[in-house]
Amino acid sequence: MKIIGILAGSHTQKEPLARSLLLCLGAEKVTTVAIADGIKEIICDCFLIEEHDVERWKQLRASPPSWSMTMRAAMHHIGESFRTIDPNIWLKRQLDGQLDSVETEYMIVTDLRYAEEVAMVQTREGIVVALTTPPVKDEGGVTHDRADRADRADRKELRGSERLSAELSQRVARVRTLDHDAFSTLLEGLDIPINGDEESVHVDYIVKNSGDLAELSASAQSLVSTMSFPHV
């Protein structure tokens, strides 16, 4: 099975990109998984709620009844806590839990966020696609990454919790289309260390997201026509 991982922040249209890739590759050939699905399953099991309740509360800034934090903050907190035990716990849960039972040619992982997850996809001979978005200015004229701006409230709520990130242990030498400024902004938004040089993190392809779905679909078509997998 060929694995395609999408590296992106929140609110960056990674799901539309995944759907576009699915249509280009052929729906019958693709299985789509999300790392966040494993976290949702834990929340549903422990708090006895349904997945649609998780999705509903994710859209709200208010906390669920009796909770001390928002749904987004809770998902982040649970995700980080498990990562202190195993940095790749959530990706392993999704990949290893499905690789033996899935018979499609491709698997798309829609929500890579950490260097360890990028490395794991690449060590399994997969490719990583970074989805970048143009920065936006707030009311004071300060420029922010879109994902950083959207997540700032949740990050403030969780200030002091340790965010795991590590330099990639796996390097790839394939040719990449790289916008250095956009890629650096993406890595900063995801808290992936770049050691003063984005060359410390390697992805295979970059898709620029301007917010136009038609353009995003065209980018997906172009990606499918040019992408290649190592040793395949």
Side-chain angles (χ1 to χ4, degrees):
M1 178 179 291
K2 303 169 185 176
I3 302 173
I4 303 171
I6 299 176
L7 174 68
S10 302
H11 308 282
T12 51
Q13 293 193 320
K14 52 186 178 287
E15 288 83 7
L17 175 60
R19 287 195 296 269
S20 294
L21 289 173
L22 181 147
L23 293 174
C24 292
L25 293 167
E28 72 284 355
K29 298 180 180 180
V30 179
T31 297
T32 301
V33 300
I35 293 172
D37 288 345
I39 300 175
K40 293 177 188 176
E41 291 171 5
I42 296 293
I43 290 177
C44 289
D45 289 344
C46 291
F47 294 94
L48 304 178
I49 59 178
E50 301 294 331
E51 184 175 346
H52 64 82
D53 294 316
V54 176
E55 291 299 327
R56 179 170 62 88
W57 281 103
K58 274 179 61 180
Q59 307 308 315
L60 303 175
R61 287 297 179 187
S63 301
S66 79
W67 286 29
S68 61
M69 61 184 69
T70 65
M71 180 61 72
R72 284 188 178 276
M75 291 182 65
H76 178 82
H77 182 69
I78 292 171
E80 293 303 284
S81 297
F82 276 64
R83 283 189 179 98
T84 62
I85 302 171
D86 182 345
N88 277 325
I89 180 61
W90 299 112
L91 186 55
K92 286 179 180 177
R93 176 185 172 94
Q94 296 305 89
L95 291 185
D96 296 340
Q98 300 207 40
L99 284 179
D100 292 337
S101 60
V102 171
E103 298 181 355
T104 55
E105 183 176 354
Y106 300 94
M107 175 178 285
I108 298 176
V109 184
T110 63
D111 55 350
L112 301 183
R113 294 289 297 269
Y114 292 87
E116 296 94 339
E117 294 166 352
V118 172
M120 185 175 176
V121 168
Q122 291 173 333
T123 56
R124 296 188 179 208
E125 308 298 348
I127 63 173
V128 174
V129 180
L131 178 62
T132 67
T133 55
V136 294
K137 290 186 177 181
D138 62 20
E139 294 79 0
V142 179
T143 300
H144 300 281
D145 176 71
R146 290 175 186 267
D148 175 72
R149 185 180 184 186
D151 288 345
R152 194 173 301 117
D154 288 342
R155 291 182 183 181
K156 182 178 180 181
E157 183 175 352
L158 289 169
R159 186 183 302 155
S161 66
E162 182 179 1
R163 292 184 61 83
L164 294 175
S165 56
E167 185 172 348
L168 288 177
S169 59
Q170 192 73 12
R171 298 289 184 97
V172 293
R174 282 167 279 163
V175 176
R176 298 167 293 142
T177 301
L178 182 61
D179 180 320
H180 291 274
D181 292 336
F183 190 50
S184 295
T185 300
L186 171 66
L187 297 184
E188 290 167 1
L190 297 177
D191 286 350
I192 293 178
I194 59 176
N195 298 326
D197 180 3
E198 58 266 27
E199 292 300 315
S200 64
V201 175
H202 283 252
V203 298
D204 303 292
Y205 302 93
I206 283 189
V207 172
K208 298 179 185 178
N209 174 26
S210 65
D212 184 280
L213 291 179
E215 184 177 325
L216 190 63
S217 177
S219 296
Q221 293 176 7
S222 176
L223 174 61
V224 167
S225 67
T226 59
M227 68 183 185
S228 62
F229 293 79
H231 310 303
V232 175

